[in-house]
Amino acid sequence: MTTATLRPPSLRDLLQPTDTFVRRHLGPSDADIAEMLRALGVESLDALIDETIPASIRQRRPLALEGLDDARPLGEREALERLRGLAGQNKLLRSFIGMGYYDTIVPGVIQRNVFENPGWYTQYTPYQAEISQGRLEALLTFQTMVADLTGLPVANASLLDEATAAAEAMTMAHAIARHKKNGFFASADCHPQTLAVLRTRAGGQGVDLTVGDPEKADFESGDVFGLLLQYPASDGRVRDLRALVERARAAGVVVIMATDLLALTLLTPPGELGADVAVGSAQRFGVPLGYGGPHAAFLATVDKHKRQMPGRIIGVSRDAAGKPALRMAMQTREQHIRREKATSNICTAQVLLAVMAGMYAVYHGPEGLRRIARRVRALTLASAAGLRRLGYELGEEPVFDTLRVPVADADETLKSAVAAGVNLRRLGDRAVGVSFDEVKTADDVRDLLAVFARGRAAPELDELAAAVDAEVPEPHRRTSGFLTHEVFHRYHTEHEMLRYIRRLERRDLSLTSSMIPLGSCTMKLNATVEMVPVSWPQIGGLHPFAPLDQTAGYQELFRQLESWLAAITGFDAVSLQPNSGAQGEYSGLMVIRAWHRGRGDDHRDVCLIPLSAHGTNPASAVMAGLTPVIVDCDEHGNVDVADLRAKAAEHAGRLAALMITYPSTHGVFEEAIREICEAVHEHGGKVYLDGANLNAQVGLCRPADYGADVCHLNLHKTFCIPHGGGGPGMGPIGVTAELAPYLPNHPVVPVGGERSLGAVSLGAVSAAPWGSPSILPISWVYVALMGAAGLRKASQVAILSANYMAGRLEEHYHVLYRGVRGRAAHEFIIDVRPYEKSTGVGAEDVAKRLMDYGFHAPTMSFPVPGTLMIEPTESESKAELDRLCDALIAIREEIRAIEEGRMDHDDNPLRNAPHTMEAVLRDDWSHPYSREQAAFPAPWVKDDKFWPFVGRIDNAWGDRNLICTCPPVASYAEAVTD
């Protein structure tokens, strides 16, 4: 149709917003989509879906989302205004609640250049270490910070929150005891949310948890394997724990301390008190409250227990030229290797938040942190002095930042505080808690004392301050140094800090550089409009335990998002509490387990898991107290239905669940999914569906409709929360109506409406009631702007992009696994194994060579060893898809040159990749191929070259020589040349 014959737009069209989002989110234009369809020989997107998704499960009724109208889509400005209206319903009172959550000052240089910077928040987990050196250095700094402050030599690179870190430490202690003991003792003065998460985890693991006074604990009986202490205690007391720790350790008990990093700048660290493990949250190191998250937790331990540590550990190794290089050590993707024997199911960590916390310590340095800690303690002691003068009887034990204040009526005191714009913590009916942080001022102390004065004249602050001795008394005072490494002393001016952050950012490949085509990981656009609300004070400034009537905006946001996710998946209820995908797996299985137990079927403990399942699946099953039984796959990569039926029948009396990924991990919509679900239901089991691949289903098919009972949703995949370099993530779960009463609850703030009144909830799985709420607006904005039609088209285009790329590449690589009509789902696998025997080139060589072309590698050797799994997503343009195809085709030609003897078998660009700038510019270039072929193998590379900061890393050397804190630069430079 020519321009002359085009109809003019109608008045209705002209009145639509001009800043609509779908066209910004979808990479291929309508013309590109038409061209891609022609290349596949398909008439339309609908026709492609007909060839891809089994007709028996296809969604026939259009998706409808509450409050959204496809005929009148929201513009970006309008969506933000609607969300701003919700946020405005939240009331920001000054919080003195504490309980492990504190107001903090986010340094502007960190907020602008890390927190709000897509160069930091759009990276992937650093599995390709050569193009992740900046983030790895920042995480090594975080580990060093934690190790120094806790007085323990080995720390990991962050966990989800303090409560789940404590639960991981309990599991770790159980493994250290080789499961020969079954008792775990937790002090009653731990934070209540921590005790709740421990109870949930202990129930799944069959651990006998006792909560009480540890001074009265019977360690000598030999039944107790672990002890958890809070230091300082949840109500603020700082006790001398040395004798208790010594008694426990003498009985072979692993001692864990939940602690506060800021307090440890002044207090004797756990390692010096004899603790084996320290856990806690780094939130108050420059990470907003966010109504509970996301925040980076930590775990540190003694050297002899490092092999039992959960999570990720960053270690120092060396590259091919002997240059120091960083990598993930030990537990890197161990779930895919050890599966049900893994020490943890952790996959997502809180990398972005750990980077922020580490940068906060770099910016302030040890003296700056001490200054903040002393000021916090001074405010606390001045308030204590004022309260005593007002007649309140406070305890005599030392404190850091928290006071327990006995009152005649807690309700009346809390109400008076709210009227004065202040939130306090309830500590029973006759006591309240008051906690201070770096944001609090002298004026806040005056206002606080006025609340407690109840109309009387409050003491003058200057008078109180003169009477306060802020020095920490013996034996609690820290005398050892910390943060002695150069990095904590160089960057205290904003100019230097800015340059340091930018220098590290340039060492990492993120979505700001090129597409990240990782199968099963859905690295799609994280649009700026989605990210803007995260920085709003009404989103980031709320304490997670603020009274519910102060959080009306958040509650409505949760309700709307839950309703949208329920409509998309077909489930009846959704829990937003799980704050990672792996935690969603665990939570979903715990719901199923709780349902069986509620029916008296305690003996149902078998979980069927296909051989192709995600590596976290078996580990999650074990964490939930289930026994994995592996189901075979057929030669096409599908679940072997006959084997599944046989094993379901064999274990019928014990069958609890099936865990299955759909579309399959092999990138196929299996035809038998309904039959598979029915076979499990026939034998009394429930179906847990791993939602990692939901991006291929939204608006096209719904898990609940074809037989799933539970499904976790990766909001950091399908629903656009950024991966953040390996976290944050969110893994809410949807369930059927009969399972809804068993969804997670919380001991401090009830969640779930009417279901919270029941007693059948599985308990708490996260420290905060709604997991990591401050990033939920990202998914809310995404769904609101896409609408039902836009979400459906996104799924269609994701499937189109994968099939288009597979079509281009199948002339050069064998594409494994297709559906019965020859189509892939939203991802596909290319096989590199045939070339390894003839050329020595394997999947790793192709992955590293792609770095020279400016790309992150696809998922390597999963789910099939020696292969690459590619997921382009819907938000990459056709030009970008073609560019990646061109790079892979060019690499195939390089392989062919080796096959035909035109390129050296051992000394070639693939075996030597990636090529650093330093390597290319060396005077002694001795390779038989040119420098240009090494560094500029394609035309586009010359326009915008991304240089890998280090050459190929020696992983084996790093495992043999574990260095996981920042040593003096000279010492580890010497070490890597040994």
Side-chain angles (χ1 to χ4, degrees):
M1 186 180 291
T2 65
T3 304
T5 60
L6 286 174
R7 290 183 179 180
S10 66
L11 179 60
R12 180 176 178 178
D13 291 335
L14 289 173
L15 292 177
Q16 297 293 331
T18 57
D19 61 340
T20 51
F21 179 70
V22 175
R23 61 198 172 94
R24 305 295 187 191
H25 178 77
L26 298 179
S29 66
D30 287 343
D32 290 333
I33 289 172
E35 185 177 344
M36 294 159 73
L37 289 168
R38 281 195 297 273
L40 293 173
V42 181
E43 291 184 358
S44 66
L45 286 172
D46 287 337
L48 175 64
I49 299 308
D50 287 342
E51 295 181 4
T52 305
I53 301 179
S56 62
I57 69 168
R58 212 159 315 135
Q59 190 171 332
R60 299 303 179 187
R61 194 175 300 173
L63 177 63
L65 300 174
E66 176 192 335
L68 302 180
D69 181 0
D70 283 336
R72 203 256 180 229
L74 295 177
E76 293 187 13
R77 179 178 177 277
E78 188 177 2
L80 287 180
E81 286 303 312
R82 188 178 289 191
L83 185 58
R84 197 182 299 277
L86 290 180
Q89 297 177 37
N90 296 328
K91 299 176 183 177
L92 279 179
L93 275 66
R94 286 168 290 174
S95 175
F96 289 82
I97 297 173
M99 298 174 71
Y101 296 94
Y102 300 89
D103 272 322
T104 182
I105 299 171
V106 185
V109 67
I110 295 175
Q111 174 155 332
R112 177 68 61 88
N113 297 288
V114 178
F115 187 48
E116 298 174 349
N117 181 357
W120 282 96
Y121 65 66
T122 67
Q123 307 149 331
Y124 184 64
T125 304
Y127 293 137
Q128 294 294 338
E130 293 85 354
I131 51 176
S132 307
Q133 288 296 295
R135 187 171 5 131
L136 288 166
E137 180 173 324
L139 291 176
L140 189 72
T141 298
F142 175 85
Q143 288 178 180
T144 303
M145 173 191 79
V146 171
D148 280 9
L149 289 171
T150 60
L152 292 163
V154 186
N156 66 15
S158 83
L159 296 172
L160 297 175
D161 55 44
E162 181 171 331
T164 53
E168 291 290 340
M170 179 179 71
T171 302
M172 173 183 168
H174 207 191
I176 291 169
R178 300 183 183 277
H179 302 91
K180 293 180 180 179
K181 303 177 183 180
N182 218 40
F184 188 83
F185 198 101
S187 175
D189 62 16
C190 292
H191 295 315
Q193 68 271 23
T194 298
L195 296 176
V197 172
L198 280 179
R199 288 188 183 98
T200 304
R201 182 72 67 91
Q205 298 280 284
V207 168
D208 182 11
L209 174 65
T210 300
V211 177
D213 182 353
E215 298 291 351
K216 299 177 181 178
D218 179 13
F219 301 128
E220 289 71 24
S221 67
D223 296 329
V224 177
F225 66 83
L227 168 67
L228 176 66
L229 305 169
Q230 190 87 42
Y231 173 70
S234 185
D235 62 4
R237 292 170 296 142
V238 177
R239 296 173 295 151
D240 186 357
L241 300 171
R242 288 177 176 85
L244 175 60
V245 170
E246 186 176 347
R247 180 167 72 88
R249 292 192 65 187
V253 175
V254 176
V255 177
I256 304 159
M257 285 189 188
T259 190
D260 181 309
L261 293 179
L262 190 64
L264 296 183
T265 65
L266 303 181
L267 301 178
T268 305
E272 294 177 20
L273 296 174
D276 299 285
V277 182
V279 299
S281 171
Q283 178 267 316
R284 72 188 308 173
F285 275 28
V287 179
L289 281 165
Y291 199 36
H295 306 138
F298 61 84
L299 187 151
T301 189
V302 294
D303 190 72
K304 67 179 179 179
H305 296 327
K306 64 190 177 188
R307 299 286 169 180
Q308 282 81 36
M309 284 184 74
R312 298 172 182 155
I313 300 174
I314 308 308
V316 180
S317 188
R318 61 185 182 187
D319 73 358
K323 178 180 178 179
L326 305 175
R327 58 184 281 273
M328 291 201 297
M330 296 196 304
Q331 277 74 17
T332 302
R333 304 202 84 170
E334 65 140 14
Q335 303 98 329
H336 295 295
I337 301 169
R338 301 190 67 200
R339 298 176 73 81
E340 71 276 4
K341 295 181 181 178
T343 57
S344 170
N345 76 333
I346 289 172
C347 192
T348 298
Q350 306 287 48
V351 171
L352 180 68
L353 300 315
V355 169
M356 289 179 67
M359 290 294 184
Y360 180 92
V362 169
Y363 190 53
H364 288 292
E367 285 308 312
L369 293 179
R370 279 196 198 96
R371 191 179 308 115
I372 294 168
R374 287 179 180 135
R375 181 177 177 277
V376 168
R377 188 163 190 271
L379 291 168
T380 308
L381 295 180
S383 299
L387 288 166
R388 288 190 176 99
R389 292 198 183 186
L390 288 169
Y392 292 91
E393 297 181 1
L394 306 186
E396 295 302 321
E397 290 176 292
V399 297
F400 170 61
D401 64 9
T402 297
L403 302 171
R404 181 188 184 95
V405 187
V407 294
D409 186 335
D411 285 335
E412 186 61 32
T413 303
L414 294 171
K415 189 183 300 182
S416 298
V418 168
V422 169
N423 281 329
L424 306 178
R425 172 187 176 187
R426 177 188 292 277
L427 279 169
D429 293 334
R430 294 185 174 275
V432 296
V434 179
S435 294
F436 291 84
D437 51 53
E438 70 167 320
V439 173
K440 299 301 181 289
T441 66
D443 288 340
D444 292 313
V445 174
R446 292 188 185 94
D447 292 346
L448 184 72
L449 291 177
V451 169
F452 284 97
R454 294 184 177 275
R456 294 174 288 164
E460 289 295 327
L461 187 61
D462 290 343
E463 182 184 348
L464 296 174
V468 167
D469 180 7
E471 190 67 45
V472 175
E474 294 287 358
H476 309 290
R477 186 187 311 149
R478 179 168 194 148
T479 58
S480 56
F482 58 90
L483 305 189
T484 58
H485 190 270
E486 180 187 20
V487 72
F488 299 107
H489 297 265
R490 286 184 57 183
Y491 307 110
H492 298 166
T493 68
E494 181 164 334
H495 220 160
E496 289 297 327
M497 188 68 185
L498 173 64
R499 290 168 180 164
Y500 177 63
I501 292 171
R502 289 294 189 181
R503 183 160 67 248
L504 295 190
E505 180 190 342
R506 288 193 295 270
R507 297 176 184 176
D508 274 29
L509 189 146
S510 69
L511 284 175
T512 64
S513 304
S514 63
M515 72 183 292
I516 301 179
L518 287 147
S520 193
C521 295
T522 315
M523 298 292 294
K524 62 202 288 185
L525 173 69
N526 312 122
T528 305
V529 65
E530 296 158 4
M531 303 302 298
V532 165
V534 178
S535 297
W536 291 349
Q538 299 89 345
I539 297 297
L542 267 71
H543 191 286
F545 305 142
L548 278 176
D549 61 5
Q550 297 174 20
T551 66
Y554 256 124
Q555 301 310 314
E556 179 60 17
L557 184 149
F558 298 155
R559 190 197 67 76
Q560 290 181 16
L561 186 57
E562 286 177 7
S563 76
W564 293 343
L565 295 177
I568 287 166
T569 59
F571 289 109
D572 298 290
V574 171
S575 169
L576 298 172
Q577 191 175 119
N579 56 4
S580 81
Q583 195 178 80
E585 293 178 15
Y586 163 71
S587 303
L589 292 175
M590 288 294 285
V591 166
I592 292 172
R593 181 179 179 274
W595 180 80
H596 283 305
R597 296 200 166 196
R599 293 160 53 89
D601 289 341
D602 295 27
H603 56 281
R604 288 192 174 269
D605 65 349
V606 167
C607 184
L608 302 179
I609 303 177
L611 189 62
S612 62
H614 284 113
T616 52
N617 286 181
S620 295
V622 171
M623 280 177 56
L626 304 177
T627 302
V629 171
I630 303 305
V631 175
D632 291 337
C633 291
D634 62 23
E635 67 273 18
H636 302 294
N638 301 320
V639 173
D640 186 327
V641 178
D643 188 57
L644 179 132
R645 284 191 172 280
K647 285 172 177 167
E650 178 187 352
H651 300 284
R654 294 174 54 200
L655 182 61
L658 163 73
M659 294 187 82
I660 187 167
T661 302
Y662 198 76
S664 75
T665 312
H666 292 137
V668 174
F669 280 96
E670 298 184 40
E671 296 287 315
I673 185 62
R674 277 190 183 276
E675 182 184 353
I676 289 168
C677 295
E678 289 166 1
V680 174
H681 290 151
E682 285 171 13
H683 296 287
K686 292 293 184 184
V687 175
Y688 168 87
L689 189 130
D690 188 313
N693 292 341
L694 194 70
N695 205 51
Q697 300 184 70
V698 179
L700 303 177
C701 56
R702 305 196 306 175
D705 291 348
Y706 54 76
D709 300 286
V710 185
C711 176
H712 91 262
L713 317 173
N714 291 107
L715 299 190
H716 52 289
K717 295 184 181 182
T718 304
F719 296 97
C720 290
I721 291 176
H723 280 64
M730 279 291 275
I733 55 175
V735 299
T736 56
E738 65 177 341
L739 297 181
Y742 302 91
L743 286 171
N745 206 328
H746 199 274
V748 183
V749 180
V751 300
E754 292 183 3
R755 77 164 182 267
S756 67
L757 303 177
V760 297
S761 165
L762 66 88
V765 295
S766 297
W770 287 275
S772 295
S774 70
I775 55 176
L776 292 176
I778 301 169
S779 296
W780 187 97
V781 172
Y782 172 66
V783 176
L785 286 173
M786 292 294 285
L791 292 172
R792 183 175 188 272
K793 189 171 182 180
S795 299
Q796 292 176 319
V797 175
I799 291 170
L800 170 65
S801 296
N803 281 279
Y804 171 75
M805 286 191 70
R808 279 207 63 192
L809 291 174
E810 64 186 350
E811 296 179 15
H812 308 275
Y813 297 89
H814 176 51
V815 176
L816 293 179
Y817 308 126
R818 300 289 188 101
V820 295
R821 287 168 292 280
R823 298 300 182 195
H826 65 310
E827 60 192 7
F828 62 98
I829 298 172
I830 59 173
D831 195 354
V832 186
R833 292 172 297 181
Y835 316 125
E836 191 156 12
K837 185 173 292 186
S838 60
T839 67
V841 171
E844 183 176 16
D845 299 305
V846 175
K848 303 307 180 189
R849 183 57 170 155
L850 275 170
M851 297 176 191
D852 291 329
Y853 286 81
F855 284 108
H856 193 291
T859 299
M860 189 176 73
S861 292
F862 175 80
V864 181
T867 65
L868 296 170
M869 181 163 60
I870 300 170
E871 181 182 354
T873 82
E874 74 277 7
S875 59
E876 294 296 346
S877 67
K878 178 178 178 295
E880 188 73 352
L881 306 184
D882 283 331
R883 199 164 66 90
L884 178 58
C885 287
D886 290 343
L888 286 167
I889 292 167
I891 289 172
R892 176 64 184 97
E893 291 306 310
E894 291 178 339
I895 295 172
R896 196 183 316 280
I898 301 171
E899 290 172 328
E900 297 173 354
R902 294 181 285 111
M903 194 175 284
D904 190 275
H905 183 278
D906 299 312
D907 191 357
N908 57 66
L910 286 107
R911 300 291 291 276
N912 295 329
H915 296 83
T916 65
M917 182 185 296
E918 183 179 357
V920 172
L921 294 178
R922 287 174 64 97
D923 291 337
D924 59 345
W925 180 266
S926 59
H927 302 297
Y929 53 94
S930 70
R931 300 172 197 258
E932 182 175 17
Q933 185 175 1
F936 300 100
W940 66 80
V941 183
K942 296 179 180 179
D943 295 334
D944 186 21
K945 173 70 176 177
F946 178 87
W947 288 99
F949 186 67
V950 296
R952 192 173 305 196
I953 294 175
D954 188 337
N955 292 319
W957 192 96
D959 281 339
R960 291 193 306 270
N961 302 273
L962 185 64
I963 304 169
C964 54
T965 57
C966 298
V969 175
S971 68
Y972 83 74
E974 291 168 3
V976 296
T977 58
D978 289 348

